[in-house]
Every structure is written in structure tokens, then in C-alpha cells.
Amino acid sequence: MRVLHFYKTYYPDSVGGIEQVIRQLCVGTGRLGVTNTVLSLSRHKDLAPIEFDGHAVHRVPLDFEIASNACSLAALGALTRMAQQADVVHYHFPWPFMDMAHFISRVKKPTVVSYHSDIVRQKRLLRLYQPLKHRFLRSVDSIVAASPNYLASSPVLDRYRDKTRVITYGLDKSTYPAVEPCRLAHWRAKVGPKFFLFVGVLRYYKGLHILLEAARESDFPIVIVGTGPEEQALKDQAARLGLTHVIFTGALDEADKAALLTLCYAVAFPSHLRSEAFGISLLEGAMYGKPMISCEIGTGTTYINLDGETGLAVPPSDPQALGHALRTLWDKPELARRMGARAEERYHELFTSERMAASYTALYQELVARKATANAGGSVGLAGLPPTR
């Protein structure tokens, strides 16, 4: 079974939530006999194919961007050639250029779309994009949502329930670095023995400006790991508010990130818009047995974090509620310990890479079998795939 993944960014150029999902998919399904290849775009000059965690990565030059929509002429030919060698083409949505590339490249293989998020921000451009988006989603064989919460709340997915199923994201802790004692000691000396942690790309929908407002009423340490387009504005806001207890580390390697996940008291994840469809770093917190604070935005964040069970969920864009949740966990260590333990249990129950890989491998096999039946003259259509939950 050969699967081609197509997404605008991937390792080693970019490290984000969707990239981590694709990585975990490739590693997990690879153990089940799937040969994975990732096709992505890059700004770098040396674009020789590389091997990464047991799968191949092919990059083509990124030519230009329009409203964060990365475009590449070379990707059109690459998708055509590589799809011919694949048994299944696995798209990762949203990426409008990908929709167009699918049609230009005349992909005829079985297709699956991991629907990572609705498009939330570019409302004017979205109106222009709507016809292409729906033509693309109608044309693919299966759509996968990452949580029942998102399937229930997305007006786009509601139109395609007949071919949409739920397969939650999963992580494999063994792919994370073992943390050396000296690294733990380094970070403990730098940030203290008890702190809240945020990890992620510093984007507009992460709600970090709300977290900083909430931090005005407290003095407990908050460590923010990552870089991104909102970094300077957030640092300026922290300086303006006098938040000396908020620490920006910038981008860190995987070993340092694992050390901070090991050490932190709890994970703060204040994403306030539906662009945050799941929250991989939130799931990392659960995997490390940490209590969590997140916002109820109708997405996978509160599928990972059950309010009152694995952590606390607060209304979005509400600094007072967020600050109260931070204070509650800080002042109640036994409650925090119990929530963290339950978070880790829930990770093992629902969110392992092994579980995700098995579900996707079964879907790939189903799509290939149905394609073979159709080619042999069968009448079973792919649009009739039942949704699973």
C-alpha cells in the first residue's frame, strides 16, 4: 500500500500541528505496511528528497503566497507524477491551492481528505473560494474529521456527512526524545519548579493576548514556547503590562520541548477561534499527564480536555474566566494531580498513534478495494461510506 500525502508545509521546513499529525500518520501506518511519501512546498534551495522517520519527503519550490495560500507551479507536475505511483492520495485541508492542483493534475486514484479546520479568517476570499472548495470536497472519496465535536459543529462538514467519518489524531510518546537529567535541571533553574506551559506557533487564533491579560492578576510563571507572526506583538503587550513572570523561550528543539512538558505544572491552551480545530500541543500535555486549561470553541480542544475531568474549559476571549481557571489549578494541587492522571488515561484510551494508524490503514484498504470493485464493473459508490464515530 503506497500513500502520497500532500500539504503545503512539512518537516524539516516547518514544525506545527498538522505537520506532527502527518508525521505520526506516516510512522504509525508505516509499521502496518504502508509506504508513505509526503509532497510539500519549501522556500529552501536544496530540495533533494530526504528520508524522515521511515518515510520519504519530496519538496518543490514555493513560488508565491496569496493570503497564506502557498502556490507552486512545480507542485502540479509533481502531484501528477507521484499520484500515478500511489495507491491512495491523502490530502490535508485547508489549502485552496491543493484543491486546484487536484483537478489540474487529474488525480484518479482513491482520495481521502483529513479535514483539519474550517477556513475562519479570510471571509471575503472565502466567498470566491467557495465553489472550488465544494467541488473539491464533492470529488474526493472520503473526508475525515478529527473529533466528533468538529463534525457536529462544522457547517461545511454537515454537507458531506454521507462520506465523513471521525478518526481522532494520535501521538506516539516513543517518538519524543527521552529527557536527560541535565536538561531537566537546566530548565528547572531557568523557569522554576512550578509553571504553566503553552507550546505552539504564535498565531492570531491561539488566544495568547487573552492569556497575557489574564496573567495581569497573578504572579505565577507562564512559559510560552514557540515563534510566529504574533510574537513581537505579544512581547510588546507583556512588556506594557509589566508581566515579568511570563517567559518567551522562542522556538525550541524537541528535546527541550519534551523537558518542559515533563516539568510543567499544567498546560494553558487559550485558543479562542475555530481555526484551532484540535490542538496537538494540548494533546501532548495529556500524553505527559498534565492538567489542561482550554476554551470551549466547539472543536476538538474540548474533546481532548473534558471540563472538570481532565482540566478546565472556559469561555473564549474571557480573561477573567481564564485567570480564574489558572488560579484554581494553581491553588489546588491535588485537583490538578487528579486531572492530569485522568488526562493521561484518556490519551491512552483514545489518542494513541497506534489507534489512529490502524483506523487510517483500514480506510485506505477500504477505498482501494471499492475502487477495484468499481473498475471491475461493480456498482458500489464511494459516496455511500457510512460515517463512524
Side-chain angles (χ1 to χ4, degrees), residues 277-296:
F278 195 79
I280 289 296
S281 61
L282 189 66
L283 183 54
E284 288 174 332
M287 183 174 70
Y288 276 83
K290 305 299 178 178
M292 298 167 282
I293 297 173
S294 61
C295 296
E296 177 53 84

Side-chain angles (χ1 to χ4, degrees), residues 46-301:
D46 181 10
L47 298 182
I50 61 173
E51 289 288 325
F52 179 74
D53 278 354
H55 57 279
V57 180
H58 291 255
R59 294 171 294 166
V60 293
L62 188 159
D63 294 325
F64 59 92
E65 288 185 282
I66 302 174
S68 300
N69 181 33
C71 301
S72 167
L73 294 178
L76 302 175
L79 179 60
T80 300
R81 293 190 303 273
M82 297 174 73
Q84 291 172 353
Q85 303 301 315
D87 297 302
V88 175
V89 177
H90 190 151
Y91 294 116
H92 294 269
F93 182 98
W95 180 24
F97 173 80
M98 175 185 69
D99 305 14
M100 181 180 68
H102 167 74
F103 293 110
I104 293 175
S105 300
R106 299 180 181 274
V107 173
K108 302 300 182 183
K109 297 298 177 72
T111 49
V112 57
V113 170
S114 284
Y115 192 94
H116 297 287
S117 172
D118 294 331
I119 296 176
V120 177
R121 196 178 195 184
Q122 294 92 354
K123 295 188 182 299
R124 291 184 180 179
L125 292 176
L126 179 59
R127 286 197 291 271
L128 298 175
Y129 168 53
Q130 291 276 31
L132 174 61
K133 177 183 73 176
H134 287 295
R135 184 185 173 200
F136 172 69
L137 293 174
R138 285 194 302 269
S139 74
V140 298
D141 297 321
S142 185
I143 302 171
V144 178
S147 72
N149 302 40
Y150 212 85
L151 177 57
S153 63
S154 169
V156 176
L157 290 180
D158 190 56
R159 297 176 60 165
Y160 302 99
R161 282 182 174 268
D162 61 330
K163 61 176 175 181
T164 299
R165 59 182 65 193
V166 173
I167 301 176
T168 58
Y169 298 152
L171 299 177
D172 179 355
K173 196 172 182 180
S174 71
T175 64
Y176 286 66
V179 183
E180 301 170 348
C182 61
R183 197 179 295 266
L184 291 174
H186 164 78
W187 282 108
R188 191 178 289 112
K190 188 167 185 177
V191 301
K194 185 178 180 182
F195 59 91
F196 289 99
L197 177 67
F198 169 88
V199 179
V201 180
L202 310 188
R203 301 190 190 280
Y204 71 95
Y205 59 82
K206 295 293 184 179
L208 289 166
H209 60 293
I210 303 163
L211 179 61
L212 295 183
E213 283 292 332
R216 298 177 67 176
E217 307 302 323
S218 65
D219 60 358
F220 32 76
I222 298 174
V223 177
I224 296 176
V225 176
T227 188
E230 299 298 314
E231 182 175 5
Q232 191 55 54
L234 291 168
K235 287 180 175 179
D236 291 345
Q237 180 185 2
R240 188 169 61 251
L241 297 175
L243 303 179
T244 57
H245 53 293
V246 175
I247 301 167
F248 292 87
T249 69
L252 297 178
D253 63 22
E254 291 297 299
D256 284 322
K257 187 178 80 170
L260 288 170
L261 282 165
T262 300
L263 289 173
C264 73
Y265 180 70
V267 168
F269 199 77
S271 295
H272 65 303
L273 297 174
R274 283 183 56 82
S275 297
E276 189 68 78
F278 195 79
I280 289 296
S281 61
L282 189 66
L283 183 54
E284 288 174 332
M287 183 174 70
Y288 276 83
K290 305 299 178 178
M292 298 167 282
I293 297 173
S294 61
C295 296
E296 177 53 84
I297 51 177
T299 72
T301 60

